[in-house]
Amino acid sequence: MKLCWSVLSALVLSGLLACGGTEAPEVSEPLAQESSELVTCSTTCPNGSTVSCSGNTCSTFPGESVECDGFYRICAPDSACLFNSSWCSNLAGKTCSPVGSERKCCINRKPTGNCYCMIGGTWACTVTP
């Protein structure tokens, strides 16, 4: 009978070892890796300063602004363009005198325009070449 129990025990023990025992196998899964490379955009403003930003996406509007991930960094307007009385959009078509006079004006926040007092006494603006 002892021999029977010994053979039976040996069979059960060898069966457990052959099947990997009673421990649960370890499962190793690679961790998700996220990599994001930032891009940088910059532009030189009319006054010589630079604006820049970094993000997943960016766009440059030369001499005006940069945009990164939906946020804008805008060039400070030229000091001559701080006052809306210098904006071409506010001068064009307004009364002026004397006819033939001219003045600098700002187009798109840049002092790149000339306004002329036309016949009829109204301002007309053009971009300075």
Side-chain angles (χ1 to χ4, degrees), residues 89-104:
S89 57
N90 288 339
L91 287 171
K94 300 285 186 199
T95 332
C96 63
S97 70
V99 171
S101 63
E102 62 181 80
R103 65 178 284 189
K104 287 285 197 191

Side-chain angles (χ1 to χ4, degrees), residues 2-75:
K2 275 186 173 180
L3 182 59
C4 189
W5 280 110
S6 297
V7 172
L8 186 58
S9 298
L11 285 173
V12 169
L13 184 59
S14 65
L16 284 175
L17 290 174
C19 294
T22 58
E23 292 181 29
E26 287 186 32
V27 177
S28 64
E29 293 181 22
L31 296 175
Q33 293 183 356
E34 192 175 301
S35 77
S36 61
E37 292 192 28
L38 297 178
V39 290
T40 300
C41 286
S42 64
T43 189
T44 302
C45 302
N47 65 5
S49 67
T50 302
V51 292
S52 62
C53 64
S54 296
N56 293 313
T57 62
C58 73
S59 300
T60 300
F61 304 93
E64 292 185 20
S65 63
V66 291
E67 176 266 329
C68 292
D69 299 334
F71 295 97
Y72 288 82
R73 303 242 11 221
I74 299 171
C75 289

Side-chain angles (χ1 to χ4, degrees), residues 59-128:
S59 300
T60 300
F61 304 93
E64 292 185 20
S65 63
V66 291
E67 176 266 329
C68 292
D69 299 334
F71 295 97
Y72 288 82
R73 303 242 11 221
I74 299 171
C75 289
D78 188 284
S79 60
C81 299
L82 289 175
F83 306 102
N84 61 5
S85 61
S86 296
W87 298 350
C88 177
S89 57
N90 288 339
L91 287 171
K94 300 285 186 199
T95 332
C96 63
S97 70
V99 171
S101 63
E102 62 181 80
R103 65 178 284 189
K104 287 285 197 191
C105 60
C106 298
I107 298 174
N108 295 328
R109 296 187 309 262
K110 299 178 198 163
T112 57
N114 279 324
C115 290
Y116 301 95
C117 188
M118 305 300 287
I119 296 174
T122 59
W123 288 111
C125 300
T126 61
V127 175
T128 306

